[in-house]
Amino acid sequence: MKYFAVILLGCLISFTTTAATKHLNIVKPVVAAFKAGDKAAIAKRVHYPLQRKAPLQAIENEKMLIEKFEQIFDKEFVEKIVNSNIRHDWEMMGWRGIMFDSGKLWLDFDGSIWAVPYESEAEKARREALIDEQKQALHKSLREFTKPILTWQTKQHLIRIDELADNQFRYAAWGIDQAMKDEPSLVITGGTLSFDGSGGNHFYTFTNNGYRYVCHVTVLGTEHSPPGLLEVFKNNVQILSESALAF
């Protein structure tokens, strides 16, 4: 029994050491690229599109990443990465990959950067300016919100979802021949957010007088998957299903 316990302990130590080594080997070249200030090398490591907080445009390719590099990776954030302790500041987080600084940057297990939730002051200012522009372009009844969630165009509709105070969501819809400056044909508040599995796909649900509106957001799909899908149900019977394009 003691012999078995020793073998088991040795296996556990070996597994932990291997995991730690893998962790270090993945992170080291990423930190080295930031230390060298090699924007091209960093851009090659990014998994595109790199999403930014709405309504900022996603970073679609290496060229765009290099052009907007200082907005995404400002001096303060780069210094944090360069001076980070790989063993302690970067953590293995199961299937999600490797997390830096409590989730400000995420690596996949191939060393690619798949998410940068960090927001620089320049990017924050740009995002707030875009939100102000959006508010002025909306009908006056819709200008109060804390965060834009999505704007979609389907075959028959324009759709907008915003987050209000207290984590409430609002759905607004127009006919395809209208503009968002016009009064919406439908507004529903009190929507809910639900997640579909662990890949990031999620959906917003709104109910109104026996109708249920569901906006499915595709995060993890195929190259042919639309960004979203609008479904409408009346008394739990589907009466509409339209693919959606973000705009």
Side-chain angles (χ1 to χ4, degrees), residues 218 220-228 243-245:
T218 303
L220 183 64
T222 70
E223 60 180 328
H224 303 295
S225 299
S243 296
L245 298 176

Side-chain angles (χ1 to χ4, degrees), residues 40 113 129 229:
I113 299 170
L229 176 71

Side-chain angles (χ1 to χ4, degrees), residues 7-202:
I7 292 176
L8 180 61
L9 179 60
C11 289
L12 289 173
I13 293 171
S14 176
F15 175 79
T16 303
T17 302
T18 301
T21 302
K22 181 181 179 182
H23 167 198
L24 295 175
N25 291 339
I26 294 171
V27 175
K28 277 181 178 179
V30 177
V31 173
F34 278 97
K35 189 171 292 188
D38 192 339
K39 297 178 185 179
I42 295 166
K44 288 184 183 298
R45 287 187 167 275
V46 173
H47 179 73
Y48 299 100
L50 182 66
Q51 299 296 330
R52 312 309 298 145
K53 290 183 180 179
L56 292 171
Q57 183 182 4
I59 306 301
E60 299 289 348
N61 50 49
E62 294 178 24
K63 182 176 182 292
M64 191 173 176
L65 188 284
I66 292 172
E67 288 174 353
K68 297 183 178 294
F69 187 88
E70 280 77 15
Q71 291 181 32
I72 301 167
F73 300 104
D74 61 8
K75 183 178 179 182
E76 179 183 353
F77 192 42
V78 170
E79 287 180 352
K80 275 192 173 184
I81 295 171
V82 169
N83 297 319
S84 64
N85 183 311
I86 296 177
R87 290 185 181 274
H88 302 293
D89 297 331
W90 300 78
E91 300 179 66
M92 296 279 281
M93 301 299 291
W95 60 267
R96 289 177 292 176
I98 301 171
M99 177 181 74
F100 171 65
D101 196 15
S102 301
K104 292 186 174 66
L105 183 148
W106 288 85
L107 299 180
D108 209 337
F109 295 111
D110 61 358
S112 61
I113 299 170
W114 68 267
V116 186
Y118 174 80
E119 184 178 40
S120 69
E121 288 300 318
E123 199 171 47
K124 180 180 178 181
R126 176 58 180 157
R127 179 172 58 82
E128 290 176 348
L130 287 173
I131 291 173
D132 287 340
E133 288 178 17
Q134 283 193 2
K135 287 182 176 180
Q136 296 309 309
L138 283 172
H139 187 265
K140 60 183 180 180
S141 64
L142 301 175
R143 291 177 184 172
E144 292 299 321
F145 59 87
T146 58
K147 185 170 68 174
I149 300 299
L150 60 82
T151 52
W152 280 356
Q153 178 178 318
T154 72
K155 184 178 180 180
Q156 302 180 61
H157 302 92
L158 299 179
I159 298 165
R160 181 181 178 95
I161 296 177
D162 293 298
E163 184 175 339
L164 309 179
D166 302 321
N167 297 315
Q168 295 290 311
F169 297 98
R170 180 183 65 201
Y171 173 97
W174 297 258
I176 194 64
D177 57 345
Q178 292 182 288
M180 291 188 175
K181 190 82 171 177
D182 300 331
E183 184 175 0
S185 57
L186 178 66
V187 177
I188 311 172
T189 56
T192 60
L193 167 62
S194 303
F195 287 89
D196 187 9
S198 59
N201 294 348
H202 54 282

Side-chain angles (χ1 to χ4, degrees), residues 208-225:
N208 181 56
N209 295 328
Y211 288 85
R212 177 161 48 94
Y213 301 78
V214 185
C215 295
H216 297 272
V217 181
T218 303
V219 176
L220 183 64
T222 70
E223 60 180 328
H224 303 295
S225 299

